[in-house]
Amino acid sequence: MNWLPVIALLIGFFVFYFVPLELPSDYAPYLSLAALSGLDSILGGIRAGVEGKFHVDVFVSGFIFNTLLAALLAYLGDQIGVDLFLAAVVTLGGRMFLNLSLIRRYYLTQWNISRQRDTERT
């Protein structure tokens, strides 16, 4: 597993907790959607690492472009009066739950395999 997505997640938590940022509340929907998109990309990168399909260039470009696209869609939705924000939240939330379930399933499978090996040895 490549550790870049995990490191990105830890850096994000560090910045969130230890760097005091005060932004206008007008930017809250865009930043929250960008953060959700970034978290989705990080979980997708962890999933790709678990599956042995991780590529740094795909992860970095996906992280940047997906985050910018999500914020841009929220802005565009505000400009035309349509809640594209909600559609993006539902889509990204579904992807995050899917990635988390696949990561969890992988580690539970590995844990069960190691338990079976331990019981066979004794």
Side-chain angles (χ1 to χ4, degrees):
M1 177 174 140
N2 198 312
W3 290 98
L4 183 62
V6 175
I7 292 169
L9 185 62
L10 293 174
I11 289 171
F13 280 128
F14 176 79
V15 169
F16 177 73
Y17 282 114
F18 297 112
V19 177
L21 293 174
E22 290 191 28
L23 299 168
S25 61
D26 294 340
Y27 297 140
Y30 312 119
L31 293 176
S32 64
L33 189 58
L36 187 64
S37 176
L39 186 58
D40 173 57
S41 294
I42 289 171
L43 291 174
I46 293 171
R47 174 185 170 192
V50 162
E51 293 175 346
K53 300 177 184 177
F54 182 81
H55 298 286
V56 173
D57 54 345
V58 174
F59 171 72
V60 172
S61 65
F63 182 87
I64 292 169
F65 289 120
N66 289 347
T67 302
L68 291 175
L69 180 63
L72 182 66
L73 283 175
Y75 176 75
L76 179 65
D78 279 351
Q79 296 303 309
I80 62 175
V82 177
D83 283 336
L84 292 176
F85 177 85
L86 295 176
V89 167
V90 169
T91 302
L92 292 171
R95 286 176 37 149
M96 286 175 45
F97 281 113
L98 175 65
N99 285 334
L100 277 173
S101 69
L102 292 172
I103 293 167
R104 176 186 47 85
R105 183 173 294 146
Y106 171 81
Y107 283 114
L108 285 174
T109 302
Q110 294 301 318
W111 183 62
N112 284 330
I113 289 171
S114 69
R115 282 183 45 205
Q116 286 176 352
R117 286 183 190 155
D118 289 344
T119 58
E120 290 174 0
R121 289 181 187 163
T122 57

